[in-house]
Amino acid sequence: MSFPDITGELSARMPELRGRMIANQPLADLTWFRVGGPAQVLFTPADEGDLAYFLRHLPADIPVMVVGLGSNLIVREGGVPGVVIRLGRGFNEIKVEEGHRLRVGTAVPDVKLARAAADAGIDGLAFYRGIPGGIGGALRMNAGAHGGETKDALVEARGVDRAGNIRVFANADFGFTYRHSGAPADVIFTSALYQGRPGETAAILEEMDRITQAREASQPIREKTGGSTFKNPPGHKAWQLIDAAGCRGLTLGGAQMSPMHCNFLINTGGATAADIEGLGEEVRRRVKAHSGVELEWEIKRIGIPA
């Protein structure tokens, strides 16, 4: 599958663009599942100003999709029409600020934020050690683990909207709920400010080690996986519903519900995106039939089917 190459047309519209555009760039290697088709255009902006410039000059009828570290993402084999934006080096800075605060770019991996906070003696962010992915995704889905959530520590975040305007959102503007942010869907977050509290580096690192050990003991983190597949429904744990419906270890093609943690989809080696998404839908069907509960995807799915 390939799309018409529109990079020449876009370059002509944006003579001052500093970032990189690639036509029909395969996305499989940018996701933890290692599946999926190409982006019609993959754009990596140089920095926030470059991103704003690009969006201001991008025709309004061209769709825009953002991908982060690809840890919580299924890209369908038909690929993603329009522009896929991936933030890189211009968005990976971490600054320690007064008052036990950290300002971080949204391309920073969650684990790197946790480590930087520990090194600075800032407590309250160690829970990020247990979350795969990057800060941009954490903001969008109120990522959390081990008793902490993004909403508990975020002060504000900067972003660029589809019209190319730079905007700042306070914590209250996000409308955070469980694994969800109510921030405008067209905003691409570029940096975030976190508030921690005084702590001892050794104690924080010890807590991070405990989180690491807990993950390794209970989750298939060394597999090609996307983390938790479904959100926990109110009053339930997704993995318990999946287990009770007989879906632990269930397979479809090269995809499997992990025998180790049955709320984790894994690519056993030869899965397609259709296998992985199809297995997830089959699990949803069986859980609904068994318990009456409708599971909601936590993994993001983008693109068109093959």
Side-chain angles (χ1 to χ4, degrees):
M1 173 73 185
S2 63
F3 298 100
D5 184 352
I6 59 173
T7 56
E9 172 193 338
L10 295 181
S11 294
R13 285 175 166 267
M14 310 173 189
E16 298 174 25
L17 194 68
R18 293 174 286 119
R20 185 183 186 196
M21 286 190 293
I22 306 175
N24 286 296
Q25 174 67 23
L27 295 176
D29 287 345
L30 301 183
T31 74
W32 288 24
F33 278 121
R34 294 294 188 266
V35 298
Q40 184 171 11
V41 177
L42 179 66
F43 173 56
T44 306
D47 51 31
E48 183 184 75
D50 195 47
L51 173 62
Y53 174 81
F54 177 84
L55 292 172
R56 278 197 300 273
H57 292 83
L58 184 70
D61 61 340
I62 296 180
V64 173
M65 182 69 63
V66 183
V67 301
L69 299 186
S71 62
N72 197 42
L73 183 69
I74 297 172
V75 178
R76 299 180 179 111
E77 267 88 15
V80 185
V83 175
V84 172
I85 295 177
R86 191 169 193 255
L87 306 186
R89 293 180 182 177
F91 303 85
N92 64 3
E93 189 174 19
I94 300 177
K95 291 182 179 178
V96 178
E97 298 190 356
E98 291 184 2
H100 304 97
R101 289 183 165 190
L102 282 173
R103 192 176 298 274
V104 300
T106 48
V108 171
D110 296 331
V111 62
K112 191 173 179 181
L113 168 61
R115 182 60 196 239
D119 290 344
I122 298 175
D123 199 2
L125 294 165
F127 71 90
Y128 270 118
R129 176 61 185 90
I131 305 173
I135 298 303
L139 294 173
R140 184 56 68 183
M141 64 175 292
N142 187 25
H146 300 275
E149 289 183 298
T150 298
K151 70 177 181 62
D152 301 329
L154 182 71
V155 177
E156 65 180 27
R158 284 171 61 98
V160 183
D161 65 21
R162 182 62 175 79
N165 302 306
I166 296 175
R167 301 171 61 182
V168 177
F169 296 83
N171 185 308
D173 297 328
F174 278 83
F176 283 126
T177 55
Y178 172 67
R179 300 298 175 266
H180 175 76
S181 158
D186 70 328
V187 171
I188 300 173
F189 293 110
T190 56
S191 67
L193 178 64
Y194 287 95
Q195 178 69 61
R197 55 182 182 269
E200 296 294 331
T201 295
I204 299 169
L205 290 175
E206 185 176 330
E207 170 66 7
M208 288 170 57
D209 286 343
R210 185 192 67 76
I211 291 172
T212 300
Q213 291 168 12
R215 288 187 67 221
E216 290 179 346
S218 63
Q219 300 175 7
I221 60 175
R222 303 192 188 285
E223 304 281 0
K224 296 174 183 175
T225 183
S228 294
T229 303
F230 303 107
K231 300 177 183 180
N232 288 325
H236 299 277
K237 291 188 179 300
W239 77 265
Q240 291 177 342
L241 294 170
I242 294 167
D243 210 9
C247 298
R248 183 183 293 270
L250 187 67
T251 62
L252 177 65
Q256 182 181 39
M257 297 308 295
S258 170
M260 183 180 198
H261 190 312
C262 58
N263 192 28
F264 279 61
L265 274 165
I266 58 176
N267 178 356
T268 62
T272 64
D275 289 340
I276 296 168
E277 186 174 9
L279 178 56
E281 288 298 324
E282 175 63 14
V283 168
R284 293 181 72 234
R285 186 192 69 77
R286 294 193 186 193
V287 168
K288 181 67 181 290
H290 181 267
S291 65
V293 177
E294 190 157 348
L295 293 177
E296 183 180 349
W297 282 91
E298 186 168 321
I299 289 176
K300 188 175 183 180
R301 294 152 294 141
I302 65 172
I304 55 180

